[in-house]
Amino acid sequence: MKTISSYPLFGYQLQAGKLIASTSQSTGNSPLFMQNSVPYYTTNPLLLLMVIIGVGGVLASILSSAIKVANEWERLVVLRLGKFLALKGPGLIFIIPIIDTIPYRIDTRVITASFQAEKTLTKDTVPVDVDAVLFWKVVDPKKAALDVADYKSAISWASQTALRDVIGKTMLSDMLEGREKISKDLQKIIDERTESWGINVISVEVKDVLIPSALEDAMSMQAQAERERQARVILGDSERQVAEKFGEAAKTYINNPVALHLRAMNMLYEGLKDNATIVIVPSTAVETMQLGGLAGMTALTMGLGQEKSEIRKQEGIQSMRDVVEPNGTKLIANP
């Protein structure tokens, strides 16, 4: 049989494009060849294993790219040869590798995003910094994926521009007092801008409004002055009411001299008992109270003074009953 090459290759010879297994038995110097046609890979287990592993890897790669899993809150946008095919999910999804692609995974849960406007002038030309929070969700994943390049960035920019527009149309006082109105206006404006992108704005909350420190001090002084004015007004109104009550009491005392006399006696007694033993009373008031002139007034004062002295003396004696002298005897005072 004609061979292409007669050089053995690891116990094989190449003949007519095939590897021929050859065995040699030496009887002196005369080799004996036995030829048998056997496929090469069947006699080499290592090569066969490498082929199996390669084919298995290719099949696993194709299978992994064909099977996708979407979470409960996710929707997958499937494109076939660049054209929109369908929205799939949640669960297990099968696609055709290379032909089908999934460029977007759309999250349909409620998403929060914070945004702010710095050094923005209000309607009365006051620079303010405003922080707000936006709550939104995707209601149409197809529009969110196909009608806008990056819907999250688009929402952020739309929110900031809407906030600046609202601040420029609002007075500072209204902004500080009416945050709910600003939040509703922002929600309406942002929702109108993002509706065509398949996005629904749930709510907008204004977190904080920062004003310049100088203006904050001026507003604090204004508020303090306003509180002082209100306090003075309340005090004046209280005095007016007290004067009215005094007028009513005077009318009562005019028609009832006995009531006036008893009230004067009570006032004098309370003053002498609580404060001091000497009270200066006009002589006309003494005559009105019929206390017997200056002598009667003096006697009343002295009587009250002696009463207080007796009370103090009794208290001093009571405190001395428990004092022990150095020799062990007690001081006992006569009551």
Side-chain angles (χ1 to χ4, degrees), residues 12 68 70 85 103 132 181 186 213 219 225 270 280 301 306 328:
Y12 296 89
K68 303 293 181 182
L85 178 63
K181 182 179 182 299
L186 282 173
S213 58
M219 294 178 64
E270 293 294 336
I280 299 175
T301 304
Q306 292 177 0

Side-chain angles (χ1 to χ4, degrees), residues 43-56:
T43 59
N44 193 338
L46 182 59
L47 179 60
L48 180 61
L49 181 60
M50 292 177 62
V51 171
I52 293 174
I53 292 176
V55 173

